[in-house]
Amino acid sequence: MPVSIKGTGGGSVTLDAGAAAADTTLTLPNTTGTVALTASPTFTGTVTATAITSPSATALTFQYGGTTGATLDTSGNLQFNSGYGSAATAYGCRAWANFNGTGTIAIRGSGGVSSIADQAVGQYALNFSFTMPDANYSTVAVCSDNPGVNPGFVSVIDAGTTTQSPTIGASYNSSGATWLNFDAVYVRAEVVR
Amino acid sequence: MENLRIIYPSDNGGVIVLIPAFECGLTIEEIAAKDVPQGKPYKIVDVAGIPSDRTFRNAWEYQA
């Protein structure tokens, strides 16, 4: 049975807290119902929700003081400001690893990676724990020997695939003209898309 | 899993050593099934069986 609370002029409806320390619950329409908010009411306190849903074909926007700080557009792109000057699409680091490329190779930390392939002296690749939509992503890596010994140069040796990064080659300049592969103590690699 | 490695032969007669990333949540067997190229033989070995001296790394060979 519909119930409406009407008044003239301004007014409010307040749910008094119960006598015991417990949640005060306002049960809104069932899962297929709609809570219609007129104008732009202000919520105070903390809103807890398991999902925030925007109608189809409508971006979800987060604003502060009327300025858009972040948007989730209808293509799934997350756009945020974070000092950029306006909300722009941010691209994520899909996989990363920090490992010791000497000895039996040891991973210090990683994300989005199922294994590291030790292919040869100074040559490594990241196997992704997921499948990229294509191989047109960007790979960035840096390496060095023990600090102050051999500043390394990193090259990308092949194209990579949707499941494995390009081979990352660590090398150093041994004599001013010759570049030699070497096993780097510090290898840090990221894959961005 | 941190002490295990997966080895398989490379296309040029050498050997590839896979270091599993335990953070991914997969088992060593699942990683082998996923990351070893299809049709390649492979072995799961203890890291103690992998030489830590890599002087001749490029001459390592896979032995079935």
Side-chain angles (χ1 to χ4, degrees):
Chain A
M1 179 178 67
V3 175
S4 62
I5 302 172
K6 295 181 179 179
T8 58
S12 64
V13 175
T14 303
L15 297 181
D16 289 334
D23 292 342
T24 299
T25 302
L26 172 63
T27 302
L28 297 171
N30 63 29
T31 54
T32 59
T34 300
V35 178
L37 301 175
T38 58
S40 299
T42 299
F43 293 88
T44 59
T46 301
V47 176
T48 301
T50 56
I52 299 175
T53 304
S54 175
S56 60
T58 303
L60 192 60
T61 300
F62 301 87
Q63 295 187 331
Y64 53 93
T67 300
T68 297
T71 299
L72 180 63
D73 74 15
T74 55
S75 297
N77 295 318
L78 177 61
Q79 304 172 331
F80 57 81
N81 188 326
S82 289
Y84 176 73
S86 62
T89 299
Y91 300 93
C93 173
R94 305 296 182 175
W96 64 274
N98 177 335
F99 59 94
N100 182 342
T102 67
T104 51
I105 316 293
I107 300 174
R108 297 186 182 94
S110 67
V113 170
S114 56
S115 67
I116 290 174
D118 162 23
Q119 299 176 330
V121 170
Q123 294 187 10
Y124 322 94
L126 310 185
N127 286 311
F128 306 138
S129 59
F130 56 93
T131 300
M132 283 281 195
D134 57 45
N136 299 328
Y137 49 82
S138 174
T139 303
V140 180
V142 293
C143 74
S144 67
D145 202 334
N146 285 312
V149 180
N150 284 323
F153 173 81
V154 173
S155 57
V156 174
I157 295 175
D158 53 35
T161 70
T162 58
T163 56
Q164 186 182 69
S165 77
T167 295
I168 297 163
S171 56
Y172 73 101
N173 193 321
S174 63
S175 62
T178 303
W179 287 87
L180 298 177
N181 287 344
F182 79 109
D183 292 320
V185 174
Y186 299 98
V187 184
R188 296 171 172 90
E190 298 175 357
V191 175
V192 179
R193 191 181 193 288
Chain B
M1 191 155 83
E2 294 161 66
N3 294 323
L4 297 175
R5 298 289 186 267
I6 302 160
I7 59 173
Y8 65 90
S10 66
D11 292 337
N12 59 9
V15 60
I16 306 286
V17 181
L18 294 183
I19 299 87
F22 61 88
E23 294 99 334
C24 74
L26 298 177
T27 66
I28 188 84
E29 290 80 11
E30 289 170 331
I31 291 174
K34 189 180 82 61
D35 292 347
V36 175
Q38 195 138 20
K40 292 268 191 187
Y42 69 86
K43 292 179 186 175
I44 296 172
V45 300
D46 193 280
V47 70
I50 305 291
S52 57
D53 182 349
R54 294 170 60 87
T55 305
F56 300 104
R57 170 65 181 86
N58 293 352
W60 292 0
E61 294 179 351
Y62 180 88
Q63 294 186 337

